[in-house]
Amino acid sequence: MAKQFDELSDDHTGFIAAQHMFFCGSAAQDGRVNISPKGMDSLRVLGPNRIIWRNLTGSGNETAGHLARVNRMTLMWCGFEKRPMILRCFGSARTLHPRDADFAAFNEQFPPSDGARQIYDMQIDLVQTSCGYAVPFYDHQGPRDTLEKWTLDKSPEDIQAYWDTRNQRTIDGMPTHILGPSDD
């Protein structure tokens, strides 16, 4: 049976901290819904109604494009290893790019990475838990270092060029503003 809460409890925050990955869901008013798995050390709970997570350079950039149009986001965690629970946080988020004033302060809360392209500052308006009885068990064997290694041999100019060719638009053609408001 699903239960709903106005904010994260200490138990919820502990569950989040114990998970090795989470999923981010976003959608604009039209086009495709995006659900993206996230890992690494990329998420911080800042309070009962606030989470930040850092998005590293990758093949797509759907969340930024969706939030520019419709400011809503869902984060989800599943208990794959022990506790059978699914936890979702629903809310709105602002997108911070490296050029934005608050980006550096938030980025300092994470391990250094030249591939950091956005930080999402999420305000939670609903927390929901539900049973994870049908979620299978998976053993965590460790983080992947592929994305970290990819970034190591790239200069800031190389990463900017990647953003220019691969991250300026969603798969539905919406601008992501990765290079600024003029990338419409």
Side-chain angles (χ1 to χ4, degrees):
M1 185 82 170
K3 295 180 183 175
Q4 297 178 342
F5 307 87
D6 293 331
E7 61 185 27
L8 290 168
S9 67
D10 290 343
D11 181 55
H12 299 144
T13 301
F15 180 77
I16 289 169
Q19 306 314 308
H20 301 287
M21 68 182 291
F22 65 98
F23 298 86
C24 174
S26 63
Q29 68 275 19
D30 54 6
R32 291 165 181 83
V33 174
N34 186 63
I35 303 166
S36 207
K38 302 294 177 185
M40 303 174 75
D41 184 8
S42 63
L43 185 133
R44 299 287 183 271
V45 176
L46 298 186
N49 291 96
R50 191 172 182 199
I51 290 176
I52 60 169
W53 66 274
R54 182 172 70 174
N55 194 24
L56 299 176
T57 298
S59 55
N61 200 8
E62 302 304 297
T63 305
H66 291 166
L67 288 178
R69 293 207 169 181
V70 177
N71 189 7
R72 64 181 174 186
M73 178 187 290
T74 300
L75 300 180
M76 183 183 79
W77 297 262
C78 297
F80 291 113
E81 294 176 300
K82 191 171 187 179
R83 187 174 178 187
M85 184 165 78
I86 300 167
L87 186 143
R88 292 178 183 89
C89 290
F90 300 91
S92 59
R94 66 183 177 130
T95 305
L96 299 166
H97 295 94
R99 66 182 174 273
D100 296 324
D102 293 345
F103 184 89
F106 285 130
N107 197 39
E108 288 177 2
Q109 297 189 41
F110 300 99
S113 175
D114 292 332
R117 68 177 176 193
Q118 288 112 357
I119 292 177
Y120 296 104
D121 184 3
M122 181 180 186
Q123 296 297 314
I124 300 165
D125 59 41
L126 178 67
V127 176
Q128 179 178 303
T129 61
S130 56
C131 78
Y133 297 161
V135 175
F137 286 109
Y138 282 99
D139 292 324
H140 178 67
Q141 297 191 15
R144 292 182 196 262
D145 61 0
T146 309
L147 187 57
E148 187 176 299
K149 285 181 177 178
W150 178 86
T151 305
L152 287 177
D153 68 347
K154 304 286 186 284
S155 70
E157 294 77 22
D158 293 336
I159 292 172
Q160 184 112 6
Y162 186 90
W163 292 351
D164 183 40
T165 59
R166 300 203 177 192
N167 287 168
Q168 286 199 72
R169 298 208 170 270
T170 68
I171 56 178
D172 291 315
M174 297 171 212
T176 66
H177 307 291
I178 186 70
L179 299 177
S182 62
D183 67 357
D184 296 298

PDB file of all heavy atoms in Angstrom, residues 76-112:
ATOM      1  N   MET A  76      13.296   8.578  -8.165  1.00  0.00           N
ATOM      2  CA  MET A  76      12.836   7.305  -7.627  1.00  0.00           C
ATOM      3  C   MET A  76      14.021   6.442  -7.228  1.00  0.00           C
ATOM      4  O   MET A  76      15.021   6.374  -7.948  1.00  0.00           O
ATOM      5  CB  MET A  76      12.000   6.555  -8.662  1.00  0.00           C
ATOM      6  CG  MET A  76      11.436   5.247  -8.123  1.00  0.00           C
ATOM      7  SD  MET A  76      10.523   4.314  -9.368  1.00  0.00           S
ATOM      8  CE  MET A  76      11.864   3.560 -10.267  1.00  0.00           C
ATOM      9  N   TRP A  77      13.883   5.781  -6.091  1.00  0.00           N
ATOM     10  CA  TRP A  77      14.857   4.815  -5.609  1.00  0.00           C
ATOM     11  C   TRP A  77      14.141   3.496  -5.378  1.00  0.00           C
ATOM     12  O   TRP A  77      12.996   3.474  -4.932  1.00  0.00           O
ATOM     13  CB  TRP A  77      15.456   5.263  -4.277  1.00  0.00           C
ATOM     14  CG  TRP A  77      16.225   6.527  -4.354  1.00  0.00           C
ATOM     15  CD1 TRP A  77      17.585   6.659  -4.472  1.00  0.00           C
ATOM     16  CD2 TRP A  77      15.706   7.862  -4.322  1.00  0.00           C
ATOM     17  NE1 TRP A  77      17.930   7.978  -4.518  1.00  0.00           N
ATOM     18  CE2 TRP A  77      16.790   8.745  -4.423  1.00  0.00           C
ATOM     19  CE3 TRP A  77      14.427   8.398  -4.219  1.00  0.00           C
ATOM     20  CZ2 TRP A  77      16.649  10.131  -4.416  1.00  0.00           C
ATOM     21  CZ3 TRP A  77      14.269   9.768  -4.219  1.00  0.00           C
ATOM     22  CH2 TRP A  77      15.371  10.612  -4.317  1.00  0.00           C
ATOM     23  N   CYS A  78      14.832   2.384  -5.666  1.00  0.00           N
ATOM     24  CA  CYS A  78      14.301   1.040  -5.427  1.00  0.00           C
ATOM     25  C   CYS A  78      15.261   0.304  -4.513  1.00  0.00           C
ATOM     26  O   CYS A  78      16.477   0.381  -4.694  1.00  0.00           O
ATOM     27  CB  CYS A  78      14.181   0.249  -6.732  1.00  0.00           C
ATOM     28  SG  CYS A  78      13.055   0.938  -7.929  1.00  0.00           S
ATOM     29  N   GLY A  79      14.705  -0.436  -3.579  1.00  0.00           N
ATOM     30  CA  GLY A  79      15.531  -1.277  -2.720  1.00  0.00           C
ATOM     31  C   GLY A  79      15.827  -2.593  -3.428  1.00  0.00           C
ATOM     32  O   GLY A  79      15.029  -3.515  -3.355  1.00  0.00           O
ATOM     33  N   PHE A  80      16.960  -2.672  -4.104  1.00  0.00           N
ATOM     34  CA  PHE A  80      17.330  -3.871  -4.854  1.00  0.00           C
ATOM     35  C   PHE A  80      18.008  -4.921  -3.980  1.00  0.00           C
ATOM     36  O   PHE A  80      18.017  -6.087  -4.313  1.00  0.00           O
ATOM     37  CB  PHE A  80      18.305  -3.517  -5.989  1.00  0.00           C
ATOM     38  CG  PHE A  80      17.695  -2.714  -7.093  1.00  0.00           C
ATOM     39  CD1 PHE A  80      18.092  -1.406  -7.310  1.00  0.00           C
ATOM     40  CD2 PHE A  80      16.728  -3.252  -7.919  1.00  0.00           C
ATOM     41  CE1 PHE A  80      17.545  -0.652  -8.332  1.00  0.00           C
ATOM     42  CE2 PHE A  80      16.167  -2.512  -8.946  1.00  0.00           C
ATOM     43  CZ  PHE A  80      16.579  -1.210  -9.145  1.00  0.00           C
ATOM     44  N   GLU A  81      18.630  -4.503  -2.892  1.00  0.00           N
ATOM     45  CA  GLU A  81      19.473  -5.432  -2.146  1.00  0.00           C
ATOM     46  C   GLU A  81      18.810  -6.012  -0.905  1.00  0.00           C
ATOM     47  O   GLU A  81      18.976  -7.180  -0.626  1.00  0.00           O
ATOM     48  CB  GLU A  81      20.782  -4.742  -1.766  1.00  0.00           C
ATOM     49  CG  GLU A  81      21.594  -4.412  -3.011  1.00  0.00           C
ATOM     50  CD  GLU A  81      22.845  -3.636  -2.703  1.00  0.00           C
ATOM     51  OE1 GLU A  81      22.724  -2.531  -2.140  1.00  0.00           O
ATOM     52  OE2 GLU A  81      23.914  -4.140  -3.022  1.00  0.00           O
ATOM     53  N   LYS A  82      18.112  -5.226  -0.145  1.00  0.00           N
ATOM     54  CA  LYS A  82      17.586  -5.747   1.102  1.00  0.00           C
ATOM     55  C   LYS A  82      16.146  -5.325   1.346  1.00  0.00           C
ATOM     56  O   LYS A  82      15.246  -6.135   1.303  1.00  0.00           O
ATOM     57  CB  LYS A  82      18.482  -5.312   2.261  1.00  0.00           C
ATOM     58  CG  LYS A  82      18.198  -6.001   3.549  1.00  0.00           C
ATOM     59  CD  LYS A  82      19.255  -5.683   4.580  1.00  0.00           C
ATOM     60  CE  LYS A  82      19.014  -6.539   5.815  1.00  0.00           C
ATOM     61  NZ  LYS A  82      19.993  -6.306   6.844  1.00  0.00           N
ATOM     62  N   ARG A  83      15.965  -4.056   1.617  1.00  0.00           N
ATOM     63  CA  ARG A  83      14.658  -3.547   2.014  1.00  0.00           C
ATOM     64  C   ARG A  83      13.735  -3.416   0.811  1.00  0.00           C
ATOM     65  O   ARG A  83      14.034  -2.686  -0.132  1.00  0.00           O
ATOM     66  CB  ARG A  83      14.847  -2.193   2.679  1.00  0.00           C
ATOM     67  CG  ARG A  83      13.592  -1.637   3.290  1.00  0.00           C
ATOM     68  CD  ARG A  83      13.913  -0.367   4.053  1.00  0.00           C
ATOM     69  NE  ARG A  83      12.713   0.219   4.603  1.00  0.00           N
ATOM     70  CZ  ARG A  83      12.687   1.395   5.187  1.00  0.00           C
ATOM     71  NH1 ARG A  83      13.809   2.093   5.313  1.00  0.00           N
ATOM     72  NH2 ARG A  83      11.564   1.882   5.654  1.00  0.00           N
ATOM     73  N   PRO A  84      12.581  -4.080   0.823  1.00  0.00           N
ATOM     74  CA  PRO A  84      11.673  -4.005  -0.328  1.00  0.00           C
ATOM     75  C   PRO A  84      10.825  -2.732  -0.280  1.00  0.00           C
ATOM     76  O   PRO A  84       9.718  -2.724   0.236  1.00  0.00           O
ATOM     77  CB  PRO A  84      10.811  -5.258  -0.171  1.00  0.00           C
ATOM     78  CG  PRO A  84      10.759  -5.482   1.308  1.00  0.00           C
ATOM     79  CD  PRO A  84      12.084  -5.010   1.838  1.00  0.00           C
ATOM     80  N   MET A  85      11.380  -1.668  -0.837  1.00  0.00           N
ATOM     81  CA  MET A  85      10.652  -0.405  -0.851  1.00  0.00           C
ATOM     82  C   MET A  85      10.984   0.360  -2.128  1.00  0.00           C
ATOM     83  O   MET A  85      12.088   0.262  -2.648  1.00  0.00           O
ATOM     84  CB  MET A  85      11.004   0.465   0.355  1.00  0.00           C
ATOM     85  CG  MET A  85      10.188   1.755   0.421  1.00  0.00           C
ATOM     86  SD  MET A  85      10.238   2.630   2.005  1.00  0.00           S
ATOM     87  CE  MET A  85      11.815   3.442   1.919  1.00  0.00           C
ATOM     88  N   ILE A  86      10.023   1.118  -2.594  1.00  0.00           N
ATOM     89  CA  ILE A  86      10.201   2.090  -3.670  1.00  0.00           C
ATOM     90  C   ILE A  86       9.874   3.444  -3.056  1.00  0.00           C
ATOM     91  O   ILE A  86       8.858   3.596  -2.376  1.00  0.00           O
ATOM     92  CB  ILE A  86       9.269   1.791  -4.856  1.00  0.00           C
ATOM     93  CG1 ILE A  86       9.559   0.406  -5.427  1.00  0.00           C
ATOM     94  CG2 ILE A  86       9.402   2.865  -5.928  1.00  0.00           C
ATOM     95  CD1 ILE A  86       8.494  -0.104  -6.378  1.00  0.00           C
ATOM     96  N   LEU A  87      10.745   4.413  -3.283  1.00  0.00           N
ATOM     97  CA  LEU A  87      10.541   5.757  -2.759  1.00  0.00           C
ATOM     98  C   LEU A  87      10.597   6.733  -3.925  1.00  0.00           C
ATOM     99  O   LEU A  87      11.521   6.672  -4.737  1.00  0.00           O
ATOM    100  CB  LEU A  87      11.620   6.102  -1.723  1.00  0.00           C
ATOM    101  CG  LEU A  87      11.439   7.432  -1.004  1.00  0.00           C
ATOM    102  CD1 LEU A  87      11.874   7.291   0.449  1.00  0.00           C
ATOM    103  CD2 LEU A  87      12.233   8.536  -1.651  1.00  0.00           C
ATOM    104  N   ARG A  88       9.592   7.590  -4.003  1.00  0.00           N
ATOM    105  CA  ARG A  88       9.554   8.615  -5.049  1.00  0.00           C
ATOM    106  C   ARG A  88       9.452   9.990  -4.412  1.00  0.00           C
ATOM    107  O   ARG A  88       8.705  10.168  -3.446  1.00  0.00           O
ATOM    108  CB  ARG A  88       8.351   8.406  -5.970  1.00  0.00           C
ATOM    109  CG  ARG A  88       8.414   7.178  -6.832  1.00  0.00           C
ATOM    110  CD  ARG A  88       7.140   7.036  -7.675  1.00  0.00           C
ATOM    111  NE  ARG A  88       7.164   5.826  -8.454  1.00  0.00           N
ATOM    112  CZ  ARG A  88       6.719   4.642  -8.034  1.00  0.00           C
ATOM    113  NH1 ARG A  88       6.208   4.517  -6.824  1.00  0.00           N
ATOM    114  NH2 ARG A  88       6.771   3.589  -8.825  1.00  0.00           N
ATOM    115  N   CYS A  89      10.173  10.933  -4.978  1.00  0.00           N
ATOM    116  CA  CYS A  89      10.051  12.346  -4.615  1.00  0.00           C
ATOM    117  C   CYS A  89       9.543  13.084  -5.840  1.00  0.00           C
ATOM    118  O   CYS A  89      10.136  12.998  -6.913  1.00  0.00           O
ATOM    119  CB  CYS A  89      11.401  12.925  -4.182  1.00  0.00           C
ATOM    120  SG  CYS A  89      11.985  12.297  -2.608  1.00  0.00           S
ATOM    121  N   PHE A  90       8.435  13.792  -5.667  1.00  0.00           N
ATOM    122  CA  PHE A  90       7.832  14.577  -6.736  1.00  0.00           C
ATOM    123  C   PHE A  90       8.059  16.056  -6.429  1.00  0.00           C
ATOM    124  O   PHE A  90       7.988  16.463  -5.273  1.00  0.00           O
ATOM    125  CB  PHE A  90       6.322  14.321  -6.799  1.00  0.00           C
ATOM    126  CG  PHE A  90       5.949  12.891  -7.048  1.00  0.00           C
ATOM    127  CD1 PHE A  90       5.738  12.022  -5.985  1.00  0.00           C
ATOM    128  CD2 PHE A  90       5.803  12.414  -8.341  1.00  0.00           C
ATOM    129  CE1 PHE A  90       5.374  10.703  -6.207  1.00  0.00           C
ATOM    130  CE2 PHE A  90       5.437  11.096  -8.569  1.00  0.00           C
ATOM    131  CZ  PHE A  90       5.233  10.232  -7.507  1.00  0.00           C
ATOM    132  N   GLY A  91       8.313  16.843  -7.457  1.00  0.00           N
ATOM    133  CA  GLY A  91       8.473  18.266  -7.216  1.00  0.00           C
ATOM    134  C   GLY A  91       8.893  19.034  -8.439  1.00  0.00           C
ATOM    135  O   GLY A  91       8.697  18.604  -9.578  1.00  0.00           O
ATOM    136  N   SER A  92       9.467  20.185  -8.186  1.00  0.00           N
ATOM    137  CA  SER A  92       9.967  21.060  -9.239  1.00  0.00           C
ATOM    138  C   SER A  92      11.457  21.269  -9.017  1.00  0.00           C
ATOM    139  O   SER A  92      11.967  21.049  -7.919  1.00  0.00           O
ATOM    140  CB  SER A  92       9.219  22.396  -9.217  1.00  0.00           C
ATOM    141  OG  SER A  92       9.384  23.017  -7.954  1.00  0.00           O
ATOM    142  N   ALA A  93      12.142  21.697 -10.061  1.00  0.00           N
ATOM    143  CA  ALA A  93      13.595  21.875  -9.939  1.00  0.00           C
ATOM    144  C   ALA A  93      14.066  23.016 -10.819  1.00  0.00           C
ATOM    145  O   ALA A  93      13.492  23.282 -11.864  1.00  0.00           O
ATOM    146  CB  ALA A  93      14.318  20.581 -10.321  1.00  0.00           C
ATOM    147  N   ARG A  94      15.109  23.646 -10.372  1.00  0.00           N
ATOM    148  CA  ARG A  94      15.769  24.632 -11.224  1.00  0.00           C
ATOM    149  C   ARG A  94      17.064  24.026 -11.727  1.00  0.00           C
ATOM    150  O   ARG A  94      17.718  23.237 -11.042  1.00  0.00           O
ATOM    151  CB  ARG A  94      16.005  25.948 -10.499  1.00  0.00           C
ATOM    152  CG  ARG A  94      16.982  25.884  -9.364  1.00  0.00           C
ATOM    153  CD  ARG A  94      17.088  27.244  -8.665  1.00  0.00           C
ATOM    154  NE  ARG A  94      17.988  27.134  -7.541  1.00  0.00           N
ATOM    155  CZ  ARG A  94      18.998  27.949  -7.303  1.00  0.00           C
ATOM    156  NH1 ARG A  94      19.224  28.975  -8.101  1.00  0.00           N
ATOM    157  NH2 ARG A  94      19.775  27.767  -6.261  1.00  0.00           N
ATOM    158  N   THR A  95      17.397  24.376 -12.944  1.00  0.00           N
ATOM    159  CA  THR A  95      18.605  23.883 -13.591  1.00  0.00           C
ATOM    160  C   THR A  95      19.707  24.913 -13.429  1.00  0.00           C
ATOM    161  O   THR A  95      19.526  26.075 -13.794  1.00  0.00           O
ATOM    162  CB  THR A  95      18.354  23.649 -15.098  1.00  0.00           C
ATOM    163  OG1 THR A  95      17.236  22.766 -15.246  1.00  0.00           O
ATOM    164  CG2 THR A  95      19.579  23.062 -15.764  1.00  0.00           C
ATOM    165  N   LEU A  96      20.831  24.474 -12.909  1.00  0.00           N
ATOM    166  CA  LEU A  96      22.003  25.335 -12.784  1.00  0.00           C
ATOM    167  C   LEU A  96      23.084  24.824 -13.712  1.00  0.00           C
ATOM    168  O   LEU A  96      23.417  23.632 -13.693  1.00  0.00           O
ATOM    169  CB  LEU A  96      22.520  25.330 -11.346  1.00  0.00           C
ATOM    170  CG  LEU A  96      21.537  25.840 -10.299  1.00  0.00           C
ATOM    171  CD1 LEU A  96      22.004  25.489  -8.903  1.00  0.00           C
ATOM    172  CD2 LEU A  96      21.358  27.328 -10.451  1.00  0.00           C
ATOM    173  N   HIS A  97      23.620  25.720 -14.527  1.00  0.00           N
ATOM    174  CA  HIS A  97      24.729  25.393 -15.426  1.00  0.00           C
ATOM    175  C   HIS A  97      26.025  25.967 -14.844  1.00  0.00           C
ATOM    176  O   HIS A  97      25.968  26.860 -13.988  1.00  0.00           O
ATOM    177  CB  HIS A  97      24.476  25.997 -16.811  1.00  0.00           C
ATOM    178  CG  HIS A  97      23.286  25.416 -17.501  1.00  0.00           C
ATOM    179  ND1 HIS A  97      22.036  25.995 -17.420  1.00  0.00           N
ATOM    180  CD2 HIS A  97      23.145  24.316 -18.253  1.00  0.00           C
ATOM    181  CE1 HIS A  97      21.177  25.262 -18.124  1.00  0.00           C
ATOM    182  NE2 HIS A  97      21.822  24.240 -18.637  1.00  0.00           N
ATOM    183  N   PRO A  98      27.181  25.526 -15.312  1.00  0.00           N
ATOM    184  CA  PRO A  98      28.450  26.063 -14.793  1.00  0.00           C
ATOM    185  C   PRO A  98      28.549  27.586 -14.846  1.00  0.00           C
ATOM    186  O   PRO A  98      29.248  28.177 -14.027  1.00  0.00           O
ATOM    187  CB  PRO A  98      29.499  25.394 -15.674  1.00  0.00           C
ATOM    188  CG  PRO A  98      28.882  24.087 -16.050  1.00  0.00           C
ATOM    189  CD  PRO A  98      27.406  24.410 -16.238  1.00  0.00           C
ATOM    190  N   ARG A  99      27.834  28.232 -15.740  1.00  0.00           N
ATOM    191  CA  ARG A  99      27.890  29.693 -15.855  1.00  0.00           C
ATOM    192  C   ARG A  99      27.041  30.395 -14.789  1.00  0.00           C
ATOM    193  O   ARG A  99      27.139  31.611 -14.624  1.00  0.00           O
ATOM    194  CB  ARG A  99      27.429  30.122 -17.245  1.00  0.00           C
ATOM    195  CG  ARG A  99      25.963  29.824 -17.510  1.00  0.00           C
ATOM    196  CD  ARG A  99      25.499  30.198 -18.908  1.00  0.00           C
ATOM    197  NE  ARG A  99      24.137  29.767 -19.148  1.00  0.00           N
ATOM    198  CZ  ARG A  99      23.785  28.583 -19.601  1.00  0.00           C
ATOM    199  NH1 ARG A  99      24.705  27.681 -19.896  1.00  0.00           N
ATOM    200  NH2 ARG A  99      22.505  28.273 -19.778  1.00  0.00           N
ATOM    201  N   ASP A 100      26.185  29.672 -14.078  1.00  0.00           N
ATOM    202  CA  ASP A 100      25.273  30.267 -13.113  1.00  0.00           C
ATOM    203  C   ASP A 100      25.944  30.485 -11.756  1.00  0.00           C
ATOM    204  O   ASP A 100      26.795  29.704 -11.327  1.00  0.00           O
ATOM    205  CB  ASP A 100      24.024  29.394 -12.942  1.00  0.00           C
ATOM    206  CG  ASP A 100      23.208  29.308 -14.221  1.00  0.00           C
ATOM    207  OD1 ASP A 100      23.142  30.315 -14.951  1.00  0.00           O
ATOM    208  OD2 ASP A 100      22.654  28.227 -14.500  1.00  0.00           O
ATOM    209  N   ALA A 101      25.523  31.533 -11.068  1.00  0.00           N
ATOM    210  CA  ALA A 101      26.162  31.959  -9.818  1.00  0.00           C
ATOM    211  C   ALA A 101      26.183  30.867  -8.745  1.00  0.00           C
ATOM    212  O   ALA A 101      27.185  30.693  -8.072  1.00  0.00           O
ATOM    213  CB  ALA A 101      25.464  33.207  -9.286  1.00  0.00           C
ATOM    214  N   ASP A 102      25.103  30.131  -8.563  1.00  0.00           N
ATOM    215  CA  ASP A 102      25.036  29.124  -7.496  1.00  0.00           C
ATOM    216  C   ASP A 102      25.729  27.806  -7.838  1.00  0.00           C
ATOM    217  O   ASP A 102      25.907  26.956  -6.968  1.00  0.00           O
ATOM    218  CB  ASP A 102      23.571  28.814  -7.162  1.00  0.00           C
ATOM    219  CG  ASP A 102      22.850  29.981  -6.526  1.00  0.00           C
ATOM    220  OD1 ASP A 102      23.525  30.928  -6.079  1.00  0.00           O
ATOM    221  OD2 ASP A 102      21.612  29.935  -6.465  1.00  0.00           O
ATOM    222  N   PHE A 103      26.090  27.622  -9.106  1.00  0.00           N
ATOM    223  CA  PHE A 103      26.626  26.332  -9.541  1.00  0.00           C
ATOM    224  C   PHE A 103      27.877  25.940  -8.745  1.00  0.00           C
ATOM    225  O   PHE A 103      27.975  24.812  -8.242  1.00  0.00           O
ATOM    226  CB  PHE A 103      26.941  26.345 -11.039  1.00  0.00           C
ATOM    227  CG  PHE A 103      27.401  25.014 -11.561  1.00  0.00           C
ATOM    228  CD1 PHE A 103      26.490  24.087 -12.027  1.00  0.00           C
ATOM    229  CD2 PHE A 103      28.750  24.676 -11.590  1.00  0.00           C
ATOM    230  CE1 PHE A 103      26.903  22.852 -12.505  1.00  0.00           C
ATOM    231  CE2 PHE A 103      29.176  23.452 -12.066  1.00  0.00           C
ATOM    232  CZ  PHE A 103      28.244  22.538 -12.519  1.00  0.00           C
ATOM    233  N   ALA A 104      28.849  26.812  -8.636  1.00  0.00           N
ATOM    234  CA  ALA A 104      30.127  26.477  -8.009  1.00  0.00           C
ATOM    235  C   ALA A 104      29.948  26.025  -6.563  1.00  0.00           C
ATOM    236  O   ALA A 104      30.547  25.037  -6.131  1.00  0.00           O
ATOM    237  CB  ALA A 104      31.097  27.647  -8.095  1.00  0.00           C
ATOM    238  N   ALA A 105      29.123  26.723  -5.800  1.00  0.00           N
ATOM    239  CA  ALA A 105      28.910  26.364  -4.396  1.00  0.00           C
ATOM    240  C   ALA A 105      28.282  24.979  -4.268  1.00  0.00           C
ATOM    241  O   ALA A 105      28.685  24.178  -3.425  1.00  0.00           O
ATOM    242  CB  ALA A 105      28.047  27.413  -3.709  1.00  0.00           C
ATOM    243  N   PHE A 106      27.300  24.680  -5.101  1.00  0.00           N
ATOM    244  CA  PHE A 106      26.689  23.352  -5.064  1.00  0.00           C
ATOM    245  C   PHE A 106      27.659  22.282  -5.575  1.00  0.00           C
ATOM    246  O   PHE A 106      27.733  21.186  -5.034  1.00  0.00           O
ATOM    247  CB  PHE A 106      25.403  23.311  -5.892  1.00  0.00           C
ATOM    248  CG  PHE A 106      24.235  23.995  -5.243  1.00  0.00           C
ATOM    249  CD1 PHE A 106      23.487  24.913  -5.945  1.00  0.00           C
ATOM    250  CD2 PHE A 106      23.874  23.722  -3.939  1.00  0.00           C
ATOM    251  CE1 PHE A 106      22.398  25.545  -5.377  1.00  0.00           C
ATOM    252  CE2 PHE A 106      22.787  24.346  -3.344  1.00  0.00           C
ATOM    253  CZ  PHE A 106      22.044  25.262  -4.063  1.00  0.00           C
ATOM    254  N   ASN A 107      28.390  22.595  -6.616  1.00  0.00           N
ATOM    255  CA  ASN A 107      29.325  21.636  -7.213  1.00  0.00           C
ATOM    256  C   ASN A 107      30.411  21.227  -6.230  1.00  0.00           C
ATOM    257  O   ASN A 107      30.919  20.105  -6.289  1.00  0.00           O
ATOM    258  CB  ASN A 107      29.929  22.223  -8.493  1.00  0.00           C
ATOM    259  CG  ASN A 107      30.573  21.185  -9.363  1.00  0.00           C
ATOM    260  OD1 ASN A 107      30.068  20.077  -9.513  1.00  0.00           O
ATOM    261  ND2 ASN A 107      31.705  21.531  -9.941  1.00  0.00           N
ATOM    262  N   GLU A 108      30.781  22.103  -5.318  1.00  0.00           N
ATOM    263  CA  GLU A 108      31.798  21.782  -4.309  1.00  0.00           C
ATOM    264  C   GLU A 108      31.348  20.689  -3.355  1.00  0.00           C
ATOM    265  O   GLU A 108      32.175  20.107  -2.657  1.00  0.00           O
ATOM    266  CB  GLU A 108      32.162  23.041  -3.514  1.00  0.00           C
ATOM    267  CG  GLU A 108      32.980  24.029  -4.305  1.00  0.00           C
ATOM    268  CD  GLU A 108      33.269  25.311  -3.538  1.00  0.00           C
ATOM    269  OE1 GLU A 108      32.863  25.419  -2.359  1.00  0.00           O
ATOM    270  OE2 GLU A 108      33.910  26.204  -4.124  1.00  0.00           O
ATOM    271  N   GLN A 109      30.069  20.380  -3.326  1.00  0.00           N
ATOM    272  CA  GLN A 109      29.565  19.329  -2.447  1.00  0.00           C
ATOM    273  C   GLN A 109      29.791  17.928  -3.021  1.00  0.00           C
ATOM    274  O   GLN A 109      29.480  16.936  -2.363  1.00  0.00           O
ATOM    275  CB  GLN A 109      28.085  19.544  -2.171  1.00  0.00           C
ATOM    276  CG  GLN A 109      27.825  20.838  -1.431  1.00  0.00           C
ATOM    277  CD  GLN A 109      26.398  20.946  -0.962  1.00  0.00           C
ATOM    278  OE1 GLN A 109      25.812  19.976  -0.492  1.00  0.00           O
ATOM    279  NE2 GLN A 109      25.834  22.133  -1.072  1.00  0.00           N
ATOM    280  N   PHE A 110      30.322  17.866  -4.234  1.00  0.00           N
ATOM    281  CA  PHE A 110      30.542  16.592  -4.908  1.00  0.00           C
ATOM    282  C   PHE A 110      32.029  16.421  -5.216  1.00  0.00           C
ATOM    283  O   PHE A 110      32.773  17.398  -5.252  1.00  0.00           O
ATOM    284  CB  PHE A 110      29.744  16.550  -6.223  1.00  0.00           C
ATOM    285  CG  PHE A 110      28.262  16.690  -6.029  1.00  0.00           C
ATOM    286  CD1 PHE A 110      27.628  17.908  -6.217  1.00  0.00           C
ATOM    287  CD2 PHE A 110      27.496  15.608  -5.637  1.00  0.00           C
ATOM    288  CE1 PHE A 110      26.270  18.052  -6.031  1.00  0.00           C
ATOM    289  CE2 PHE A 110      26.129  15.731  -5.437  1.00  0.00           C
ATOM    290  CZ  PHE A 110      25.513  16.956  -5.645  1.00  0.00           C
ATOM    291  N   PRO A 111      32.457  15.187  -5.493  1.00  0.00           N
ATOM    292  CA  PRO A 111      33.852  14.986  -5.910  1.00  0.00           C
ATOM    293  C   PRO A 111      34.142  15.774  -7.189  1.00  0.00           C
ATOM    294  O   PRO A 111      33.255  15.971  -8.017  1.00  0.00           O
ATOM    295  CB  PRO A 111      33.931  13.479  -6.178  1.00  0.00           C
ATOM    296  CG  PRO A 111      32.793  12.881  -5.432  1.00  0.00           C
ATOM    297  CD  PRO A 111      31.716  13.927  -5.407  1.00  0.00           C
ATOM    298  N   PRO A 112      35.377  16.234  -7.361  1.00  0.00           N
ATOM    299  CA  PRO A 112      35.715  17.009  -8.570  1.00  0.00           C
ATOM    300  C   PRO A 112      35.418  16.230  -9.856  1.00  0.00           C
ATOM    301  O   PRO A 112      35.642  15.025  -9.923  1.00  0.00           O
ATOM    302  CB  PRO A 112      37.214  17.250  -8.429  1.00  0.00           C
ATOM    303  CG  PRO A 112      37.514  17.053  -6.983  1.00  0.00           C
ATOM    304  CD  PRO A 112      36.514  16.053  -6.475  1.00  0.00           C
TER     305      PRO A 112
END
